[in-house]
Amino acid sequence: MIVFKKIKWKNFLSTGNQFINIDLDKSASTLVIGENGSGKSTLLDALCFVLFNRPFRYIKKEQIVNSINEKDCVVEVIFSVGKKDFKIRRGIKPNFFEIYCDDILLNQDASNVDYQKHLEQNILKLNYRSFVQVVILGSSSYEPFMRLRARYRREVVEEILDIKVFTQMALLLRVKNQELTKNVQEIKHKCDLLDEKYNLEKKHFETIKNKNENILSDKEHLLKQNEEDIEKYNSKLSDIDKELGYLKTSISDKTDVDEKVNKLQILEAKLETNILNHKTNLQTLQESDICPTCGQDIKQDVKEIKIAERNAKILKLETGLKDLISETLKAEQRVNAIGTISEKISDLELNIAKINTSIDEINRFSNKVKIEIDEIRTNGSSSKDVYTSLDKLKLDLEETKIQRDKVVEEKAIVDIAREIVNDTGAKTKIIEKYLPIMNQLINEYLQNMDFFINFELNDEFIETIKSRYRDDFSYNNFSEGEKMRIDLALLFTWRAVAKLKNSTNTNILILDEIFDSSLDGEGTDAFFKILNRNLQNENTFIISHKGDILFDKFTNIIKFEKYKNFARLV
């Protein structure tokens, strides 16, 4: 379990040159209050930045440093995992990233990417997406579980169930399988060559043993046959080389296409996020005649203009997204085509190696036959020497067959292991085992919030929602308040499962302004009932504007204020 203890920051967003210190394990429930822009939500951004190098809200990195001091931005968090104490420090201007374990700075020889990977995989054992699903629920940039794509939903659940190790195992086994496939082909080819050579030697021995008068004629015919075989092989090599050159030329754009696909996928994600933000703003504008910023009434003609502008922007973005998806599809088709050609190139190169091996074997054998012919013509040939050579060749063939059987057996084991660790294997079985528990917890939390629906996730994490005397629903059919209840139920469920699995289990839960918009009075009371019943030994932080009606529900209160353009704790 990760036990967060303290966090502090300075020159971060609206905070000045004096550190703001917050004890994260001081109180079971803490209310964070303050006026708009006073720095309440900075706690979320600071925690996400120091752990994952990105703020919780959509803020550009160059905007993180306080715009007045413009330097010395520092965030530091202290937590423990088991018996080890950790301190993470991250800063901008100057840039630095430090990980301390029991007050000892960990080796910083690795790149920042590897250093960050070590923090997420070996210390925290969770990534940003999983962290914000079980620790943080915010009203700004938080993306609820039900709004994630199916593959991202699966990734979050795999992280919570601590089964992403199967994905890593699958990657390792895929590489091992490719290596074994190549080894099987090579050793089978070697075995075939030895078998052919042994049969030739055996035939040669029988010829000598029976004192075949046509032995010289046979050997000369054999040499001629070998020469013809080499000519055929050389002709085949020439054809393969031409085809190989053409294929390699045809995939010269592989690197550019891979980079293009990567950039298109990143751009697609950005466009989708932009469209979602515009649609959210449009919905807010359509549903309210009051400006959310200044609180004044919006004139109808101004509102219609703004709505038209938003709709035009959304249409333009969606058109662009459609074109981008089309372009991505074309690029991915090209990637698949290149992959097919690359596989064909590998097959051709393997054929070349086989042919060259065959030519070498034929040349060696031909040289040996020539020597034997010379010996027969001069001094004759000893059948005993041939028998010894044949016996040794037989032994080599048997050993090669044993090696072949071992490699084939090893590959069969790896194939079975791949079936176990892939998405349809052990992971699916584990997920199927926990799905009933998850669905039971989700419905219990929903009932505790007086939301009486039957909510179920299937093994692809697609929801089925039913209500008595009503038709089937999806998440998007509900109001924002009802969606918030579902989001809270899922959040509490992931935390309960994480605690059960001891995977992404932490002592803190931070909720940003969830009472200020979607939850009504009954929903708020139901939430605190769940909070007091299920999170007694954890530290919950609630950021809210409704401080005056929530004071009596908390054991600790933190207030932020803006003083001389800097955020500070009162």
Side-chain angles (χ1 to χ4, degrees):
M1 178 177 180
I2 305 172
V3 179
F4 289 96
K5 298 179 179 179
K6 296 179 181 294
I7 186 171
K8 65 179 183 178
W9 63 85
K10 69 175 182 177
N11 291 316
F12 184 82
L13 297 179
S14 61
T15 307
N17 202 34
Q18 299 296 319
F19 273 111
I20 288 181
N21 293 271
I22 294 181
D23 294 324
L24 298 175
D25 60 348
K26 177 181 178 181
S27 175
S29 60
T30 299
L31 176 64
V32 182
I33 60 174
E35 300 294 331
N36 285 333
S38 61
K40 302 187 301 300
S41 298
T42 305
L43 170 62
L44 286 72
D45 296 313
L47 186 58
C48 289
F49 172 73
V50 71
L51 293 177
F52 302 103
N53 198 27
R54 56 184 292 186
F56 177 71
R57 293 174 291 181
Y58 296 115
I59 302 173
K60 294 181 179 179
K61 197 164 185 179
E62 59 268 20
Q63 297 175 332
I64 292 177
V65 184
N66 183 271
S67 59
I68 298 176
N69 294 331
E70 295 184 340
K71 64 177 182 178
D72 200 23
C73 172
V74 179
V75 184
E76 180 179 307
V77 66
I78 297 175
F79 60 88
S80 64
V81 180
K83 296 182 179 180
K84 292 184 178 181
D85 293 324
F86 291 92
K87 178 171 69 175
I88 313 297
R89 299 181 73 247
R90 198 187 297 267
I92 304 176
K93 292 185 178 182
N95 294 326
F96 65 88
F97 176 29
E98 298 171 345
I99 302 175
Y100 292 84
C101 179
D102 294 329
D103 295 326
I104 298 175
L105 179 63
L106 299 187
N107 187 357
Q108 290 186 302
D109 291 340
S111 66
N112 274 350
V113 174
D114 293 335
Y115 211 45
Q116 181 66 36
K117 188 180 295 184
H118 175 77
L119 172 61
E120 294 183 13
Q121 295 182 355
N122 300 321
I123 299 176
L124 297 174
K125 296 185 179 179
L126 75 166
N127 57 23
Y128 173 81
R129 185 174 289 110
S130 299
F131 182 79
V132 299
Q133 286 295 323
V134 299
V135 177
I136 296 175
L137 180 59
S139 60
S140 57
S141 59
Y142 167 76
E143 189 171 7
F145 180 84
M146 295 307 303
R147 295 180 184 175
L148 295 175
R149 291 186 178 183
R151 65 188 180 98
Y152 291 145
R153 294 183 186 181
R154 186 181 184 93
E155 181 179 324
V156 168
V157 175
E158 287 183 4
E159 194 84 47
I160 293 170
L161 293 178
D162 198 19
I163 58 175
K164 285 187 71 64
V165 64
F166 289 110
T167 302
Q168 300 299 324
M169 290 171 63
L171 293 175
L172 294 174
L173 287 172
R174 184 175 67 181
V175 175
K176 183 67 175 178
N177 180 264
Q178 292 172 348
E179 178 184 341
L180 287 173
T181 299
K182 183 178 179 181
N183 291 343
V184 168
Q185 291 176 340
E186 290 178 351
I187 200 166
K188 281 185 176 180
H189 182 59
K190 182 180 178 181
C191 197
D192 291 340
L193 288 174
L194 282 173
D195 190 47
E196 181 180 357
K197 186 176 180 180
Y198 172 76
N199 290 329
L200 289 172
E201 287 281 355
K202 185 177 180 181
K203 182 179 180 180
H204 172 58
F205 171 73
E206 290 174 351
T207 301
I208 294 176
K209 183 179 179 181
N210 296 326
K211 297 180 180 180
N212 192 333
E213 295 178 355
N214 298 322
I215 185 171
L216 290 176
S217 176
D218 290 340
K219 288 185 177 296
E220 289 172 352
H221 176 73
L222 182 61
L223 287 176
K224 184 177 180 181
Q225 183 65 46
N226 287 348
E227 291 174 357
E228 291 175 356
D229 290 341
I230 289 175
E231 288 181 4
K232 292 178 181 178
Y233 280 135
N234 285 330
S235 176
K236 187 179 294 185
L237 280 176
S238 177
D239 294 337
I240 293 176
D241 284 336
K242 290 179 182 179
E243 185 177 2
L244 200 58
Y246 170 76
L247 291 175
K248 287 182 177 180
T249 302
S250 68
I251 62 170
S252 59
D253 61 336
K254 181 179 185 302
T255 301
D256 295 337
V257 172
D258 289 341
E259 292 178 354
K260 181 178 180 181
V261 170
N262 187 43
K263 291 178 180 178
L264 287 172
Q265 290 174 343
I266 293 173
L267 185 56
E268 180 182 344
K270 290 181 178 179
L271 277 178
E272 289 177 344
T273 301
N274 202 356
I275 290 172
L276 180 60
N277 289 339
H278 278 289
K279 287 185 176 179
T280 302
N281 293 336
L282 176 61
Q283 183 178 359
T284 302
L285 188 61
Q286 290 174 332
E287 294 177 352
S288 176
D289 294 326
I290 300 176
C291 177
T293 302
C294 63
Q296 296 181 354
D297 292 339
I298 303 175
K299 294 182 178 181
Q300 188 61 33
D301 56 343
V302 174
K303 179 177 179 180
E304 291 175 353
I305 292 173
K306 292 293 183 180
I307 291 174
E309 290 175 349
R310 289 288 180 184
N311 282 322
K313 183 66 175 178
I314 291 171
L315 179 61
K316 182 177 179 181
L317 288 172
E318 289 178 336
T319 302
L321 178 60
K322 182 178 179 181
D323 295 339
L324 182 62
I325 291 173
S326 176
E327 186 65 23
T328 302
L329 181 60
K330 292 179 181 177
E332 289 175 344
Q333 290 173 346
R334 177 57 182 158
V335 168
N336 293 334
I338 289 174
T340 302
I341 294 173
S342 298
E343 291 178 359
K344 189 172 182 179
I345 289 174
S346 297
D347 292 340
L348 290 176
E349 290 175 341
L350 182 60
N351 286 338
I352 289 175
K354 290 180 180 179
I355 292 172
N356 284 329
T357 303
S358 298
I359 291 174
D360 291 339
E361 290 294 327
I362 291 173
N363 283 329
R364 280 195 290 270
F365 184 69
S366 294
N367 290 335
K368 182 178 179 180
V369 171
K370 289 177 182 178
I371 293 173
E372 291 173 352
I373 289 174
D374 290 339
E375 288 179 350
I376 292 172
R377 284 175 176 172
T378 55
N379 301 321
S381 176
S382 171
S383 61
K384 182 178 180 180
D385 293 339
V386 177
Y387 180 80
T388 302
S389 174
L390 184 63
D391 192 51
K392 183 179 182 302
L393 193 59
K394 182 179 180 181
L395 184 62
D396 291 342
L397 179 59
E398 291 174 350
E399 291 178 350
T400 304
K401 287 182 178 180
I402 292 173
Q403 293 175 4
R404 177 198 61 191
D405 294 341
K406 286 182 178 179
V407 174
V408 170
E409 182 181 1
E410 185 179 0
K411 184 179 182 301
I413 293 172
V414 170
D415 288 337
I416 293 172
R418 289 187 69 194
E419 289 293 326
I420 293 173
V421 301
N422 67 16
D423 285 345
T424 59
K427 286 196 294 187
T428 297
K429 295 297 182 183
I430 294 173
I431 290 173
E432 288 176 352
K433 177 182 177 182
Y434 277 92
L435 264 179
I437 300 174
M438 294 176 183
N439 288 327
Q440 179 182 350
L441 288 171
I442 292 169
N443 285 291
E444 286 179 1
Y445 287 127
L446 288 173
Q447 291 174 13
N448 288 338
M449 288 186 285
D450 295 329
F451 193 22
F452 298 99
I453 60 172
N454 183 26
F455 184 100
E456 285 192 3
L457 293 174
N458 61 18
D459 55 2
E460 296 180 355
F461 304 103
I462 305 300
E463 77 275 16
T464 300
I465 305 175
K466 296 181 179 179
S467 179
R468 192 175 183 183
Y469 305 123
R470 299 168 72 181
D471 296 332
D472 292 349
F473 287 90
S474 70
Y475 175 81
N476 293 322
N477 290 126
F478 292 101
S479 68
E480 292 304 311
E482 291 171 325
K483 289 178 182 177
M484 179 60 75
R485 284 174 166 83
I486 295 174
D487 295 339
L488 285 172
L490 285 166
L491 175 66
F492 290 132
T493 297
W494 301 149
R495 291 181 68 87
V497 173
K499 184 175 294 185
L500 183 66
K501 285 290 294 180
N502 197 27
S503 54
T504 53
N505 188 11
T506 74
N507 66 309
I508 62 170
L509 171 62
I510 305 175
L511 305 174
D512 184 16
E513 299 183 3
I514 65 166
F515 302 117
D516 300 351
S517 55
S518 301
L519 280 186
D520 53 20
E522 292 182 1
T524 301
D525 291 339
F527 168 77
F528 275 104
K529 185 190 303 180
I530 295 175
L531 199 68
N532 295 328
R533 180 186 305 167
N534 297 281
L535 304 177
Q536 294 178 349
N537 299 321
E538 300 184 14
N539 307 103
T540 305
F541 290 78
I542 307 293
I543 301 172
S544 177
H545 291 295
K546 298 181 178 180
D548 52 341
I549 63 173
L550 296 175
F551 282 163
D552 60 332
K553 299 182 183 294
F554 293 86
T555 57
N556 185 40
I557 297 175
I558 295 176
K559 182 176 181 179
F560 283 85
E561 71 173 6
K562 213 58 170 301
Y563 179 73
K564 295 183 178 179
N565 291 324
F566 293 111
R568 70 175 185 179
L569 283 179
V570 180

